[in-house]
Every structure is written in C-alpha cells, then in structure tokens.
C-alpha cells in the first residue's frame, strides 16, 4: 500500500543512499507523490544515478537531481549542495538514510571498520544536517528524518560500531529538533527492525530464522512500509511531531 501526502508535491527532498534498498523505495514513493527528488551518488556510479533519475521522472517526480558526493566527504558534499541550492533554491526535506554495517565480534573489530561505520552512518548525517541548516532557516516547513535502527535502542551482539552509530543518530535527532524547533524545522528518527533489502539479504538463513522467531508480527518488513512512515514524517500531516523516535519493527522490541 502506497500512502500519499498531497503537500509533498514539489517539495525538494534529499535522500542519501537512494540507489538501492530503503532509500530507493522511498525515492520512488516520493516521486509518485510529485516531489522533486534529490539524491547523492558516488564516483563510478554515474550510470546507476542516471537510470534512477529516469525512473523517478517516469514515476511522476516533478524533477529528479543526482548530486555527486560521498557522505563521508564534507567538502564534496558542500560543493554539490551549494551549487544545487543556488540553482533550485532550498531543500525542504532531508532523509539521512545512507548507511553501512561491518558486523564483527568485539575481539575481531578493526579500527578502520569502526571509523568507516561512524563516519558514514553518524558523522555524515551530522555534517549534512549542518551544511543544509543555513538554507533550512530560509525555507518553510522543513522536515528531517534520520534512519536509525532498533539496534540503536536495544543493542545487538556483533554490531557494536553499527549500534553505536545508530544510537548516535538519536542524539543528533533530539538535539537538532530542540535547537531548530523555534524556526519550524522538525527532526525525527525512525528505527526499522528487519527490513528486506540487499543489506539484510547478505545474512545467512540461520540468522534470518533467529530474527524471525523474535518478531511478533512473524514477518520481515517491506521497504514500502518504511517509505510510508517517512512520507508521513516529511509531510505536514506530522506537523506537531518533532524529536520523536518511532520504531517500525513488527514488534521485535516491545
Ligand atoms: P543498503 O545497503 O541497501 O543501502 C545503503 C545505501 O547507502 C546504498 O545506496 C549505498 O550506496 C549508500 N551509501 C553507503 N555508504 C555511502 C557513502 N559513503 N556515501 C554515499 N552513499 C553511501 O541499505 P538498506 O538496507 O536500504 O538500509 C538503508 C538504511 O536503513 C541504512 O542506514 C540502514 O542502516 C538502515 N536500516 C536498515 C535496516 C534493514 O533491515 N534493512 C534495519 C534498520 C536500519
């Protein structure tokens, strides 16, 4: 079921990591709602970015823009966004979705994996929020949604760096919400449980069965279900909600 919100039409919404998984489902969902969808891609991924742009336009996007920047490269990010804003005006929705996980038990964790996980999942979202803040202040009805995870709330064995980065996003969400609420800029986080994507497909069958046995709704989540929740938080339908952390996990963490 694809829920739609009329006010998302022609909003300019940046989604990081939209080339696959949850980000792609969300980008397509926002395109069908008529938004101007903006997404980033990394060097070497031009073909994938161009084909996503075409897909978004065919799905109904008012416009679709692909920006070349790595979420861990703040200078590249700033250059791409400054150019976009001077041409198209302020971005009015941001979804910090790009993320990686490099799971390992504590004794085998490598420092470079920890650094890369924190840089991508947490520092990237903090810097992007900062880079866009000046233009947010001049815009109306800005909504930021950070994609955290239930493991940021409940922890998970073998996911120390990933869980810490996702818990950090909750701190970012609440602080950003408090700091910018007086300017009518809202910021919320969602905590997905097990959603079927390439990221979770890489788990072995035993691990998947173990997760399934803990989910009261007895199934994994679908990307469209996450897209529906994010659309709600981006739209005026959630105009009195800020600093909130919403689980979408089939009940795995009740
Ligand atoms: P995915 O691995 O399918 O997609 C991640 C996206 O992030 C990709 O498009 C990738 O290119 C992009 N990305 C990674 N590093 C980047 C960088 N340095 N610069 C720019 N883009 C970069 O992941 P999935 O499953 O779609 O997850 C999306 C978000 O949801 C992630 O933040 C993940 O942690 C979170 N999440 C996912 C869950 C799941 O069950 N799939 C559960 C809870 C949270």
């Amino acid at each position: 079921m694809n829920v739609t919100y009329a006010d998302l039409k022609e909003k300019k919404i940046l989604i990081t990591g939209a080339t696959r998984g949850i980000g792609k489902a969300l980008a397509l969902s926002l395109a069908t709602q008529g938004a101007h969808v903006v997404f980033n891609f990394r060097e070497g991924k031009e073909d994938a970015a161009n084909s996503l742009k075409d897909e978004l336009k065919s799905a109904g996007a008012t416009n679709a823009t692909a920006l070349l920047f790595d979420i861990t490269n703040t200078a590249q990010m700033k250059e791409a966004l400054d150019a976009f804003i001077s041409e198209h005006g302020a971005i009015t929705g941001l979804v910090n979705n790009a993320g990686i996980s490099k799971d390992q038990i504590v004794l085998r964790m490598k420092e470079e994996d920890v650094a890369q996980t924190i840089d991508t999942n947490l520092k990237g979202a903090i810097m992007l929020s900062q880079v866009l803040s000046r233009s947010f202040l001049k815009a109306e009805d800005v909504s930021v949604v950070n994609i955290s995870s239930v493991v940021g709330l409940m922890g998970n064995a073998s996911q120390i760096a990933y869980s810490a980065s996702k818990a950090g996003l909750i701190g970012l969400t609440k602080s950003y919400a408090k700091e910018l609420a007086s300017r009518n800029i809202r910021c919320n986080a969602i905590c997905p449980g097990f959603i079927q994507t390439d990221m979770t497909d890489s788990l072995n069958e035993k691990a998947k069965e173990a997760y399934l046995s803990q989910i009261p709704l007895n199934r994994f989540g679908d990307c469209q279900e996450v897209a529906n929740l994010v659309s709600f938080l981006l739209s005026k339908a959630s105009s009195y909600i800020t600093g909130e952390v919403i689980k979408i996990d089939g009940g795995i963490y009740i």
Side-chain angles (χ1 to χ4, degrees), residues 17-23 40 42 69-72 97-100 120-121 147-150 162 166 192-200:
T19 49
R20 62 181 215 178
I22 292 172
N40 72 318
R42 285 176 284 176
F69 70 85
D70 187 311
I71 192 79
T72 61
N97 166 77
I100 55 167
T120 307
N121 299 3
I147 313 294
S148 177
S149 165
V150 278
Y162 180 75
K166 293 299 182 179
F194 195 114
I195 311 298
Q196 268 183 305
T197 64
D198 293 335
M199 188 186 255
T200 49

PDB file of all heavy atoms in Angstrom, residues 17-23 40 42 69-72 97-100 120-121 147-150 162 166 192-200, ligand 1:
ATOM      1  N   GLY A  17      21.889   7.838  -0.146  1.00  0.00           N
ATOM      2  CA  GLY A  17      21.891   6.379  -0.345  1.00  0.00           C
ATOM      3  C   GLY A  17      20.611   5.869  -0.972  1.00  0.00           C
ATOM      4  O   GLY A  17      20.030   4.882  -0.513  1.00  0.00           O
ATOM      5  N   ALA A  18      20.187   6.545  -2.066  1.00  0.00           N
ATOM      6  CA  ALA A  18      18.886   6.176  -2.663  1.00  0.00           C
ATOM      7  C   ALA A  18      19.018   5.215  -3.834  1.00  0.00           C
ATOM      8  O   ALA A  18      18.033   4.922  -4.493  1.00  0.00           O
ATOM      9  CB  ALA A  18      18.151   7.443  -3.109  1.00  0.00           C
ATOM     10  N   THR A  19      20.235   4.717  -4.093  1.00  0.00           N
ATOM     11  CA  THR A  19      20.381   3.892  -5.290  1.00  0.00           C
ATOM     12  C   THR A  19      19.851   2.471  -5.100  1.00  0.00           C
ATOM     13  O   THR A  19      19.722   1.717  -6.055  1.00  0.00           O
ATOM     14  CB  THR A  19      21.857   3.832  -5.740  1.00  0.00           C
ATOM     15  OG1 THR A  19      22.656   3.511  -4.596  1.00  0.00           O
ATOM     16  CG2 THR A  19      22.315   5.173  -6.319  1.00  0.00           C
ATOM     17  N   ARG A  20      19.567   2.084  -3.863  1.00  0.00           N
ATOM     18  CA  ARG A  20      19.000   0.742  -3.647  1.00  0.00           C
ATOM     19  C   ARG A  20      18.288   0.691  -2.286  1.00  0.00           C
ATOM     20  O   ARG A  20      18.306   1.664  -1.524  1.00  0.00           O
ATOM     21  CB  ARG A  20      20.081  -0.328  -3.726  1.00  0.00           C
ATOM     22  CG  ARG A  20      21.149  -0.167  -2.668  1.00  0.00           C
ATOM     23  CD  ARG A  20      22.216  -1.224  -2.799  1.00  0.00           C
ATOM     24  NE  ARG A  20      22.708  -1.611  -1.485  1.00  0.00           N
ATOM     25  CZ  ARG A  20      23.622  -2.538  -1.268  1.00  0.00           C
ATOM     26  NH1 ARG A  20      24.165  -3.176  -2.274  1.00  0.00           N
ATOM     27  NH2 ARG A  20      24.008  -2.841  -0.044  1.00  0.00           N
ATOM     28  N   GLY A  21      17.679  -0.436  -2.006  1.00  0.00           N
ATOM     29  CA  GLY A  21      17.093  -0.695  -0.689  1.00  0.00           C
ATOM     30  C   GLY A  21      16.020   0.293  -0.262  1.00  0.00           C
ATOM     31  O   GLY A  21      15.214   0.769  -1.067  1.00  0.00           O
ATOM     32  N   ILE A  22      16.036   0.623   1.026  1.00  0.00           N
ATOM     33  CA  ILE A  22      15.025   1.506   1.618  1.00  0.00           C
ATOM     34  C   ILE A  22      15.052   2.873   0.930  1.00  0.00           C
ATOM     35  O   ILE A  22      14.011   3.449   0.614  1.00  0.00           O
ATOM     36  CB  ILE A  22      15.287   1.654   3.143  1.00  0.00           C
ATOM     37  CG1 ILE A  22      15.010   0.323   3.857  1.00  0.00           C
ATOM     38  CG2 ILE A  22      14.447   2.785   3.740  1.00  0.00           C
ATOM     39  CD1 ILE A  22      15.418   0.285   5.325  1.00  0.00           C
ATOM     40  N   GLY A  23      16.258   3.398   0.678  1.00  0.00           N
ATOM     41  CA  GLY A  23      16.392   4.719   0.060  1.00  0.00           C
ATOM     42  C   GLY A  23      15.751   4.765  -1.314  1.00  0.00           C
ATOM     43  O   GLY A  23      15.068   5.734  -1.667  1.00  0.00           O
ATOM     44  N   ASN A  40      22.138  11.519  -3.736  1.00  0.00           N
ATOM     45  CA  ASN A  40      23.581  11.565  -3.995  1.00  0.00           C
ATOM     46  C   ASN A  40      24.056  10.231  -4.557  1.00  0.00           C
ATOM     47  O   ASN A  40      23.400   9.200  -4.402  1.00  0.00           O
ATOM     48  CB  ASN A  40      24.362  11.924  -2.723  1.00  0.00           C
ATOM     49  CG  ASN A  40      24.369  10.791  -1.715  1.00  0.00           C
ATOM     50  OD1 ASN A  40      23.358  10.134  -1.495  1.00  0.00           O
ATOM     51  ND2 ASN A  40      25.501  10.550  -1.092  1.00  0.00           N
ATOM     52  N   ARG A  42      28.039   8.133  -5.639  1.00  0.00           N
ATOM     53  CA  ARG A  42      29.498   8.226  -5.537  1.00  0.00           C
ATOM     54  C   ARG A  42      30.175   8.022  -6.883  1.00  0.00           C
ATOM     55  O   ARG A  42      29.578   7.470  -7.807  1.00  0.00           O
ATOM     56  CB  ARG A  42      30.003   7.201  -4.513  1.00  0.00           C
ATOM     57  CG  ARG A  42      29.699   7.656  -3.110  1.00  0.00           C
ATOM     58  CD  ARG A  42      30.088   6.617  -2.076  1.00  0.00           C
ATOM     59  NE  ARG A  42      29.142   5.507  -2.039  1.00  0.00           N
ATOM     60  CZ  ARG A  42      29.291   4.441  -1.287  1.00  0.00           C
ATOM     61  NH1 ARG A  42      30.344   4.322  -0.511  1.00  0.00           N
ATOM     62  NH2 ARG A  42      28.378   3.480  -1.297  1.00  0.00           N
ATOM     63  N   PHE A  69      28.327  13.216  -4.516  1.00  0.00           N
ATOM     64  CA  PHE A  69      29.111  13.380  -3.281  1.00  0.00           C
ATOM     65  C   PHE A  69      29.045  12.125  -2.433  1.00  0.00           C
ATOM     66  O   PHE A  69      28.055  11.417  -2.404  1.00  0.00           O
ATOM     67  CB  PHE A  69      28.696  14.621  -2.472  1.00  0.00           C
ATOM     68  CG  PHE A  69      27.346  14.601  -1.791  1.00  0.00           C
ATOM     69  CD1 PHE A  69      27.189  14.031  -0.528  1.00  0.00           C
ATOM     70  CD2 PHE A  69      26.243  15.184  -2.401  1.00  0.00           C
ATOM     71  CE1 PHE A  69      25.951  14.047   0.112  1.00  0.00           C
ATOM     72  CE2 PHE A  69      25.000  15.205  -1.766  1.00  0.00           C
ATOM     73  CZ  PHE A  69      24.856  14.631  -0.506  1.00  0.00           C
ATOM     74  N   ASP A  70      30.179  11.891  -1.784  1.00  0.00           N
ATOM     75  CA  ASP A  70      30.276  10.801  -0.815  1.00  0.00           C
ATOM     76  C   ASP A  70      29.891  11.407   0.528  1.00  0.00           C
ATOM     77  O   ASP A  70      30.366  12.498   0.872  1.00  0.00           O
ATOM     78  CB  ASP A  70      31.734  10.290  -0.800  1.00  0.00           C
ATOM     79  CG  ASP A  70      31.902   9.049   0.053  1.00  0.00           C
ATOM     80  OD1 ASP A  70      31.425   9.048   1.209  1.00  0.00           O
ATOM     81  OD2 ASP A  70      32.533   8.095  -0.426  1.00  0.00           O
ATOM     82  N   ILE A  71      29.065  10.706   1.282  1.00  0.00           N
ATOM     83  CA  ILE A  71      28.572  11.243   2.559  1.00  0.00           C
ATOM     84  C   ILE A  71      29.722  11.457   3.566  1.00  0.00           C
ATOM     85  O   ILE A  71      29.608  12.249   4.495  1.00  0.00           O
ATOM     86  CB  ILE A  71      27.472  10.303   3.115  1.00  0.00           C
ATOM     87  CG1 ILE A  71      26.710  10.921   4.273  1.00  0.00           C
ATOM     88  CG2 ILE A  71      27.975   8.961   3.514  1.00  0.00           C
ATOM     89  CD1 ILE A  71      25.689  11.884   3.826  1.00  0.00           C
ATOM     90  N   THR A  72      30.860  10.796   3.329  1.00  0.00           N
ATOM     91  CA  THR A  72      31.996  10.957   4.256  1.00  0.00           C
ATOM     92  C   THR A  72      32.938  12.090   3.816  1.00  0.00           C
ATOM     93  O   THR A  72      33.936  12.350   4.483  1.00  0.00           O
ATOM     94  CB  THR A  72      32.818   9.650   4.371  1.00  0.00           C
ATOM     95  OG1 THR A  72      33.342   9.329   3.081  1.00  0.00           O
ATOM     96  CG2 THR A  72      31.968   8.499   4.870  1.00  0.00           C
ATOM     97  N   ASN A  97      19.664   8.585   5.138  1.00  0.00           N
ATOM     98  CA  ASN A  97      19.413   7.147   5.001  1.00  0.00           C
ATOM     99  C   ASN A  97      20.686   6.338   4.753  1.00  0.00           C
ATOM    100  O   ASN A  97      20.759   5.186   5.162  1.00  0.00           O
ATOM    101  CB  ASN A  97      18.427   6.942   3.834  1.00  0.00           C
ATOM    102  CG  ASN A  97      18.352   5.496   3.389  1.00  0.00           C
ATOM    103  OD1 ASN A  97      17.720   4.672   4.047  1.00  0.00           O
ATOM    104  ND2 ASN A  97      19.007   5.160   2.281  1.00  0.00           N
ATOM    105  N   ALA A  98      21.695   6.933   4.097  1.00  0.00           N
ATOM    106  CA  ALA A  98      22.892   6.156   3.729  1.00  0.00           C
ATOM    107  C   ALA A  98      23.490   5.505   4.963  1.00  0.00           C
ATOM    108  O   ALA A  98      23.623   6.130   6.015  1.00  0.00           O
ATOM    109  CB  ALA A  98      23.928   7.063   3.063  1.00  0.00           C
ATOM    110  N   GLY A  99      23.828   4.243   4.839  1.00  0.00           N
ATOM    111  CA  GLY A  99      24.408   3.567   5.994  1.00  0.00           C
ATOM    112  C   GLY A  99      25.135   2.306   5.580  1.00  0.00           C
ATOM    113  O   GLY A  99      24.880   1.741   4.512  1.00  0.00           O
ATOM    114  N   ILE A 100      26.074   1.898   6.419  1.00  0.00           N
ATOM    115  CA  ILE A 100      26.786   0.636   6.183  1.00  0.00           C
ATOM    116  C   ILE A 100      26.834  -0.135   7.497  1.00  0.00           C
ATOM    117  O   ILE A 100      26.691   0.454   8.579  1.00  0.00           O
ATOM    118  CB  ILE A 100      28.239   0.857   5.681  1.00  0.00           C
ATOM    119  CG1 ILE A 100      29.031   1.762   6.654  1.00  0.00           C
ATOM    120  CG2 ILE A 100      28.255   1.463   4.285  1.00  0.00           C
ATOM    121  CD1 ILE A 100      30.538   1.764   6.389  1.00  0.00           C
ATOM    122  N   THR A 120      30.341   7.180   8.156  1.00  0.00           N
ATOM    123  CA  THR A 120      29.237   7.106   7.191  1.00  0.00           C
ATOM    124  C   THR A 120      27.892   7.308   7.884  1.00  0.00           C
ATOM    125  O   THR A 120      27.101   8.172   7.493  1.00  0.00           O
ATOM    126  CB  THR A 120      29.232   5.713   6.502  1.00  0.00           C
ATOM    127  OG1 THR A 120      30.519   5.463   5.964  1.00  0.00           O
ATOM    128  CG2 THR A 120      28.177   5.646   5.405  1.00  0.00           C
ATOM    129  N   ASN A 121      27.641   6.514   8.912  1.00  0.00           N
ATOM    130  CA  ASN A 121      26.285   6.484   9.498  1.00  0.00           C
ATOM    131  C   ASN A 121      25.986   7.688  10.380  1.00  0.00           C
ATOM    132  O   ASN A 121      24.847   8.137  10.436  1.00  0.00           O
ATOM    133  CB  ASN A 121      26.101   5.216  10.349  1.00  0.00           C
ATOM    134  CG  ASN A 121      26.255   3.950   9.540  1.00  0.00           C
ATOM    135  OD1 ASN A 121      26.546   3.983   8.349  1.00  0.00           O
ATOM    136  ND2 ASN A 121      26.058   2.807  10.179  1.00  0.00           N
ATOM    137  N   ILE A 147      17.401   7.904   9.567  1.00  0.00           N
ATOM    138  CA  ILE A 147      17.104   6.465   9.606  1.00  0.00           C
ATOM    139  C   ILE A 147      18.071   5.803  10.584  1.00  0.00           C
ATOM    140  O   ILE A 147      19.233   5.514  10.259  1.00  0.00           O
ATOM    141  CB  ILE A 147      17.210   5.806   8.203  1.00  0.00           C
ATOM    142  CG1 ILE A 147      16.466   6.633   7.134  1.00  0.00           C
ATOM    143  CG2 ILE A 147      16.689   4.372   8.264  1.00  0.00           C
ATOM    144  CD1 ILE A 147      14.965   6.724   7.282  1.00  0.00           C
ATOM    145  N   SER A 148      17.564   5.577  11.796  1.00  0.00           N
ATOM    146  CA  SER A 148      18.349   4.896  12.825  1.00  0.00           C
ATOM    147  C   SER A 148      18.060   3.393  12.700  1.00  0.00           C
ATOM    148  O   SER A 148      17.919   2.877  11.581  1.00  0.00           O
ATOM    149  CB  SER A 148      17.975   5.466  14.202  1.00  0.00           C
ATOM    150  OG  SER A 148      18.646   4.794  15.221  1.00  0.00           O
ATOM    151  N   SER A 149      17.920   2.705  13.808  1.00  0.00           N
ATOM    152  CA  SER A 149      17.651   1.253  13.771  1.00  0.00           C
ATOM    153  C   SER A 149      17.225   0.821  15.164  1.00  0.00           C
ATOM    154  O   SER A 149      17.637   1.442  16.160  1.00  0.00           O
ATOM    155  CB  SER A 149      18.931   0.507  13.386  1.00  0.00           C
ATOM    156  OG  SER A 149      18.807  -0.870  13.674  1.00  0.00           O
ATOM    157  N   VAL A 150      16.470  -0.276  15.252  1.00  0.00           N
ATOM    158  CA  VAL A 150      16.124  -0.778  16.596  1.00  0.00           C
ATOM    159  C   VAL A 150      17.376  -1.158  17.372  1.00  0.00           C
ATOM    160  O   VAL A 150      17.388  -1.081  18.599  1.00  0.00           O
ATOM    161  CB  VAL A 150      15.161  -1.998  16.600  1.00  0.00           C
ATOM    162  CG1 VAL A 150      13.735  -1.583  16.448  1.00  0.00           C
ATOM    163  CG2 VAL A 150      15.574  -3.064  15.646  1.00  0.00           C
ATOM    164  N   TYR A 162      28.045  -0.345  14.641  1.00  0.00           N
ATOM    165  CA  TYR A 162      26.798  -0.019  13.942  1.00  0.00           C
ATOM    166  C   TYR A 162      25.745   0.472  14.943  1.00  0.00           C
ATOM    167  O   TYR A 162      25.116   1.518  14.740  1.00  0.00           O
ATOM    168  CB  TYR A 162      26.298  -1.261  13.189  1.00  0.00           C
ATOM    169  CG  TYR A 162      25.010  -1.067  12.425  1.00  0.00           C
ATOM    170  CD1 TYR A 162      24.993  -0.359  11.218  1.00  0.00           C
ATOM    171  CD2 TYR A 162      23.804  -1.589  12.889  1.00  0.00           C
ATOM    172  CE1 TYR A 162      23.814  -0.184  10.508  1.00  0.00           C
ATOM    173  CE2 TYR A 162      22.620  -1.420  12.186  1.00  0.00           C
ATOM    174  CZ  TYR A 162      22.638  -0.713  10.993  1.00  0.00           C
ATOM    175  OH  TYR A 162      21.465  -0.536  10.297  1.00  0.00           O
ATOM    176  N   LYS A 166      23.987   4.181  15.285  1.00  0.00           N
ATOM    177  CA  LYS A 166      22.534   4.368  15.196  1.00  0.00           C
ATOM    178  C   LYS A 166      21.974   5.016  16.473  1.00  0.00           C
ATOM    179  O   LYS A 166      21.025   5.795  16.417  1.00  0.00           O
ATOM    180  CB  LYS A 166      21.850   3.018  14.921  1.00  0.00           C
ATOM    181  CG  LYS A 166      22.182   2.446  13.547  1.00  0.00           C
ATOM    182  CD  LYS A 166      21.719   3.376  12.449  1.00  0.00           C
ATOM    183  CE  LYS A 166      21.962   2.860  11.051  1.00  0.00           C
ATOM    184  NZ  LYS A 166      21.484   3.771  10.014  1.00  0.00           N
ATOM    185  N   PRO A 192      13.935   1.215  12.087  1.00  0.00           N
ATOM    186  CA  PRO A 192      13.443  -0.015  11.468  1.00  0.00           C
ATOM    187  C   PRO A 192      14.007  -1.245  12.179  1.00  0.00           C
ATOM    188  O   PRO A 192      15.120  -1.216  12.723  1.00  0.00           O
ATOM    189  CB  PRO A 192      13.967   0.064  10.030  1.00  0.00           C
ATOM    190  CG  PRO A 192      14.393   1.482   9.821  1.00  0.00           C
ATOM    191  CD  PRO A 192      14.803   1.971  11.173  1.00  0.00           C
ATOM    192  N   GLY A 193      13.218  -2.314  12.138  1.00  0.00           N
ATOM    193  CA  GLY A 193      13.713  -3.623  12.592  1.00  0.00           C
ATOM    194  C   GLY A 193      14.327  -4.306  11.394  1.00  0.00           C
ATOM    195  O   GLY A 193      15.164  -3.739  10.708  1.00  0.00           O
ATOM    196  N   PHE A 194      13.852  -5.502  11.094  1.00  0.00           N
ATOM    197  CA  PHE A 194      14.421  -6.265   9.982  1.00  0.00           C
ATOM    198  C   PHE A 194      13.609  -5.982   8.721  1.00  0.00           C
ATOM    199  O   PHE A 194      12.476  -6.424   8.574  1.00  0.00           O
ATOM    200  CB  PHE A 194      14.368  -7.758  10.329  1.00  0.00           C
ATOM    201  CG  PHE A 194      15.219  -8.618   9.446  1.00  0.00           C
ATOM    202  CD1 PHE A 194      16.316  -9.292   9.972  1.00  0.00           C
ATOM    203  CD2 PHE A 194      14.926  -8.771   8.096  1.00  0.00           C
ATOM    204  CE1 PHE A 194      17.105 -10.091   9.151  1.00  0.00           C
ATOM    205  CE2 PHE A 194      15.712  -9.566   7.279  1.00  0.00           C
ATOM    206  CZ  PHE A 194      16.807 -10.233   7.801  1.00  0.00           C
ATOM    207  N   ILE A 195      14.183  -5.220   7.803  1.00  0.00           N
ATOM    208  CA  ILE A 195      13.504  -4.870   6.550  1.00  0.00           C
ATOM    209  C   ILE A 195      14.224  -5.596   5.409  1.00  0.00           C
ATOM    210  O   ILE A 195      15.466  -5.593   5.363  1.00  0.00           O
ATOM    211  CB  ILE A 195      13.552  -3.337   6.291  1.00  0.00           C
ATOM    212  CG1 ILE A 195      13.115  -2.533   7.530  1.00  0.00           C
ATOM    213  CG2 ILE A 195      12.726  -2.960   5.055  1.00  0.00           C
ATOM    214  CD1 ILE A 195      11.705  -2.760   8.012  1.00  0.00           C
ATOM    215  N   GLN A 196      13.470  -6.201   4.514  1.00  0.00           N
ATOM    216  CA  GLN A 196      14.117  -6.966   3.442  1.00  0.00           C
ATOM    217  C   GLN A 196      14.784  -6.067   2.400  1.00  0.00           C
ATOM    218  O   GLN A 196      14.110  -5.351   1.669  1.00  0.00           O
ATOM    219  CB  GLN A 196      13.105  -7.869   2.768  1.00  0.00           C
ATOM    220  CG  GLN A 196      13.114  -9.227   3.439  1.00  0.00           C
ATOM    221  CD  GLN A 196      12.198 -10.208   2.795  1.00  0.00           C
ATOM    222  OE1 GLN A 196      11.016  -9.937   2.647  1.00  0.00           O
ATOM    223  NE2 GLN A 196      12.738 -11.349   2.419  1.00  0.00           N
ATOM    224  N   THR A 197      16.127  -6.080   2.377  1.00  0.00           N
ATOM    225  CA  THR A 197      16.922  -5.304   1.402  1.00  0.00           C
ATOM    226  C   THR A 197      18.210  -6.079   1.129  1.00  0.00           C
ATOM    227  O   THR A 197      18.456  -7.122   1.754  1.00  0.00           O
ATOM    228  CB  THR A 197      17.345  -3.927   1.977  1.00  0.00           C
ATOM    229  OG1 THR A 197      18.215  -4.151   3.091  1.00  0.00           O
ATOM    230  CG2 THR A 197      16.184  -3.067   2.402  1.00  0.00           C
ATOM    231  N   ASP A 198      19.064  -5.519   0.237  1.00  0.00           N
ATOM    232  CA  ASP A 198      20.365  -6.165  -0.031  1.00  0.00           C
ATOM    233  C   ASP A 198      21.181  -6.301   1.251  1.00  0.00           C
ATOM    234  O   ASP A 198      21.921  -7.253   1.441  1.00  0.00           O
ATOM    235  CB  ASP A 198      21.178  -5.325  -1.036  1.00  0.00           C
ATOM    236  CG  ASP A 198      20.528  -5.317  -2.401  1.00  0.00           C
ATOM    237  OD1 ASP A 198      19.780  -6.266  -2.708  1.00  0.00           O
ATOM    238  OD2 ASP A 198      20.760  -4.355  -3.166  1.00  0.00           O
ATOM    239  N   MET A 199      21.046  -5.265   2.144  1.00  0.00           N
ATOM    240  CA  MET A 199      21.829  -5.273   3.383  1.00  0.00           C
ATOM    241  C   MET A 199      21.477  -6.499   4.235  1.00  0.00           C
ATOM    242  O   MET A 199      22.351  -7.170   4.763  1.00  0.00           O
ATOM    243  CB  MET A 199      21.562  -3.986   4.189  1.00  0.00           C
ATOM    244  CG  MET A 199      22.462  -3.807   5.398  1.00  0.00           C
ATOM    245  SD  MET A 199      21.975  -2.354   6.381  1.00  0.00           S
ATOM    246  CE  MET A 199      23.245  -1.199   5.960  1.00  0.00           C
ATOM    247  N   THR A 200      20.183  -6.808   4.323  1.00  0.00           N
ATOM    248  CA  THR A 200      19.770  -7.936   5.169  1.00  0.00           C
ATOM    249  C   THR A 200      19.804  -9.255   4.405  1.00  0.00           C
ATOM    250  O   THR A 200      19.937 -10.316   5.013  1.00  0.00           O
ATOM    251  CB  THR A 200      18.367  -7.692   5.753  1.00  0.00           C
ATOM    252  OG1 THR A 200      17.492  -7.304   4.694  1.00  0.00           O
ATOM    253  CG2 THR A 200      18.380  -6.615   6.808  1.00  0.00           C
TER     254      THR A 200
HETATM  255  P1  LIG B   1      21.585  -0.717   1.572  1.00  0.00           P
HETATM  256  O1  LIG B   1      22.939  -1.240   1.886  1.00  0.00           O
HETATM  257  O2  LIG B   1      20.719  -1.500   0.623  1.00  0.00           O
HETATM  258  O3  LIG B   1      21.709   0.793   1.024  1.00  0.00           O
HETATM  259  C1  LIG B   1      22.550   1.722   1.643  1.00  0.00           C
HETATM  260  C2  LIG B   1      22.758   2.889   0.701  1.00  0.00           C
HETATM  261  O4  LIG B   1      23.696   3.782   1.301  1.00  0.00           O
HETATM  262  C3  LIG B   1      23.333   2.470  -0.657  1.00  0.00           C
HETATM  263  O5  LIG B   1      22.634   3.167  -1.663  1.00  0.00           O
HETATM  264  C4  LIG B   1      24.782   2.952  -0.587  1.00  0.00           C
HETATM  265  O6  LIG B   1      25.299   3.298  -1.856  1.00  0.00           O
HETATM  266  C5  LIG B   1      24.637   4.176   0.315  1.00  0.00           C
HETATM  267  N1  LIG B   1      25.911   4.555   0.930  1.00  0.00           N
HETATM  268  C6  LIG B   1      26.681   3.811   1.750  1.00  0.00           C
HETATM  269  N2  LIG B   1      27.814   4.480   2.054  1.00  0.00           N
HETATM  270  C7  LIG B   1      27.740   5.680   1.415  1.00  0.00           C
HETATM  271  C8  LIG B   1      28.599   6.817   1.338  1.00  0.00           C
HETATM  272  N3  LIG B   1      29.779   6.850   1.954  1.00  0.00           N
HETATM  273  N4  LIG B   1      28.200   7.884   0.596  1.00  0.00           N
HETATM  274  C9  LIG B   1      27.028   7.860  -0.046  1.00  0.00           C
HETATM  275  N5  LIG B   1      26.163   6.825  -0.017  1.00  0.00           N
HETATM  276  C10 LIG B   1      26.533   5.738   0.703  1.00  0.00           C
HETATM  277  O7  LIG B   1      20.863  -0.491   2.964  1.00  0.00           O
HETATM  278  P2  LIG B   1      19.320  -0.538   3.399  1.00  0.00           P
HETATM  279  O8  LIG B   1      19.039  -1.869   3.953  1.00  0.00           O
HETATM  280  O9  LIG B   1      18.465   0.002   2.326  1.00  0.00           O
HETATM  281  O10 LIG B   1      19.352   0.469   4.631  1.00  0.00           O
HETATM  282  C11 LIG B   1      19.128   1.853   4.498  1.00  0.00           C
HETATM  283  C12 LIG B   1      19.272   2.490   5.866  1.00  0.00           C
HETATM  284  O11 LIG B   1      18.366   1.873   6.780  1.00  0.00           O
HETATM  285  C13 LIG B   1      20.673   2.319   6.466  1.00  0.00           C
HETATM  286  O12 LIG B   1      21.023   3.474   7.199  1.00  0.00           O
HETATM  287  C14 LIG B   1      20.489   1.145   7.420  1.00  0.00           C
HETATM  288  O13 LIG B   1      21.423   1.161   8.464  1.00  0.00           O
HETATM  289  C15 LIG B   1      19.068   1.391   7.912  1.00  0.00           C
HETATM  290  N6  LIG B   1      18.414   0.206   8.439  1.00  0.00           N
HETATM  291  C16 LIG B   1      18.173  -0.872   7.620  1.00  0.00           C
HETATM  292  C17 LIG B   1      17.542  -1.985   8.141  1.00  0.00           C
HETATM  293  C18 LIG B   1      17.225  -3.172   7.306  1.00  0.00           C
HETATM  294  O14 LIG B   1      16.703  -4.144   7.861  1.00  0.00           O
HETATM  295  N7  LIG B   1      17.468  -3.169   6.008  1.00  0.00           N
HETATM  296  C19 LIG B   1      17.158  -2.055   9.556  1.00  0.00           C
HETATM  297  C20 LIG B   1      17.435  -0.860  10.308  1.00  0.00           C
HETATM  298  C21 LIG B   1      18.039   0.227   9.750  1.00  0.00           C
END
